Amino acid sequence: MKAGATAFSRARRRMVRQQIARRGVADPRVLDAMSSVPRERFVPRRMSNRAYADHPLPIGEGQTITQPYVVALMAEAMELAPTDRVLEIGTGSGYAAAVLGRIAAAVYTVERHASLAQEAQSRLSGLAYENVRVRHGDGTQGWDEHAPYDAISVAAAGLDVPQALREQLGPRGRLVIPVGPRNGTQRLIRERRGDERDFRRENLGAVRFVPLVGEGPA
Ligand code: SAH
């Protein structure tokens, strides 16, 4: 167990250096969070030896845990402060929520597959990520009860930004989401809200995500 734990933390440090810092992610809070969350606990046990590989892995229900670099890229793009309240759509394994929970004050995350939502919640509670709350539901509707959010991330690709998410973003908030066709490459988009209901859109580059499936545009 001890030897295994050491090997995982070594693999984790190497991942942060070679896959994340080397590709330009520089926010120290993101690098610290990625260095501390035990990704091996968020992948199926038989795949724990591949937990730190540079690609997504299957987690059941046809879904995947996002590639480590993309989790870091999105977390950096959210420009999180320690007091921020965050909404994540697409809990999946709960890994990205745990990373966000290490950086921000509170994370609310929504997953449409009941089994994944349940597993993620028990995993996060078991690892004592007490500032992360999981809900089973359609994330294209957001999570109104805890709005407004300082930042929102969507871990699945839709054809456009669901309007409910824009509405739940507070003034000066940041929304990071892959936008584009389901079976191709999407663009990672950041929308920044100004002081009013004005949004400015930036393209952060090409990515590939599983589809966002819900009532909103998908
Ligand atoms: N952040 C996750 C990535 C999971 S992949 C992780 O670190 O593991 C994206 C997830 O989004 C999948 O689990 C999928 O079921 C979920 N999803 C897709 N459409 C959704 C929707 N409308 N509402 C909530 N979750 C959704």
Side-chain angles (χ1 to χ4, degrees), residues 39 42 57 59-67 71 88-98 100 109-113 116-117 123 135-141 153-157 162 209-216 218:
R39 188 170 162 94
F42 291 84
L57 288 169
I59 54 170
E61 303 285 0
Q63 308 303 322
T64 54
I65 178 173
T66 310
Q67 178 191 6
V71 173
E88 184 203 32
I89 305 307
T91 316
S93 67
Y95 174 72
L100 297 172
T109 177
V110 184
E111 168 57 50
R112 67 179 282 267
H113 284 288
L116 294 178
R123 199 176 268 143
R135 179 183 157 202
H136 170 226
D138 175 7
T140 61
Q141 310 302 309
S153 80
V154 183
F209 276 84
V210 295
L212 182 67
V213 180
E215 290 288 320

Side-chain angles (χ1 to χ4, degrees), residues 19-36:
Q19 302 173 31
I20 296 174
R22 186 177 289 175
R23 290 190 182 123
V25 173
D27 183 337
R29 286 184 297 220
V30 173
L31 299 177
D32 279 355
M34 299 289 298
S35 303
S36 79

Side-chain angles (χ1 to χ4, degrees), residues 37-106:
V37 178
R39 188 170 162 94
E40 71 276 9
R41 303 286 293 272
F42 291 84
V43 302
R45 198 179 290 267
R46 66 181 191 286
M47 289 181 198
S48 57
N49 62 333
R50 285 150 67 196
Y52 293 95
D54 194 13
H55 49 71
L57 288 169
I59 54 170
E61 303 285 0
Q63 308 303 322
T64 54
I65 178 173
T66 310
Q67 178 191 6
Y69 168 65
V70 176
V71 173
L73 180 70
M74 291 180 78
E76 184 172 63
M78 291 166 82
E79 298 180 343
L80 296 174
T83 50
D84 279 355
R85 300 168 65 261
V86 172
L87 173 67
E88 184 203 32
I89 305 307
T91 316
S93 67
Y95 174 72
V99 169
L100 297 172
R102 294 294 301 220
I103 307 172

Side-chain angles (χ1 to χ4, degrees), residues 8-19:
F8 283 131
S9 45
R10 209 177 296 129
R12 193 177 314 128
R13 283 198 298 274
R14 197 182 321 123
M15 167 194 82
V16 170
R17 228 178 21 248
Q18 299 184 346
Q19 302 173 31

Side-chain angles (χ1 to χ4, degrees), residues 73 77 175-180 185-192 200-207:
L73 180 70
L175 192 161
V176 178
I177 178 173
V179 171
T185 304
Q186 305 106 20
R187 288 169 305 142
L188 189 64
I189 295 293
R190 173 167 56 201
E191 285 199 352
R192 276 177 199 284
R200 199 157 45 94
R201 179 177 273 217
E202 296 159 84
N203 182 356
L204 305 179
V207 285

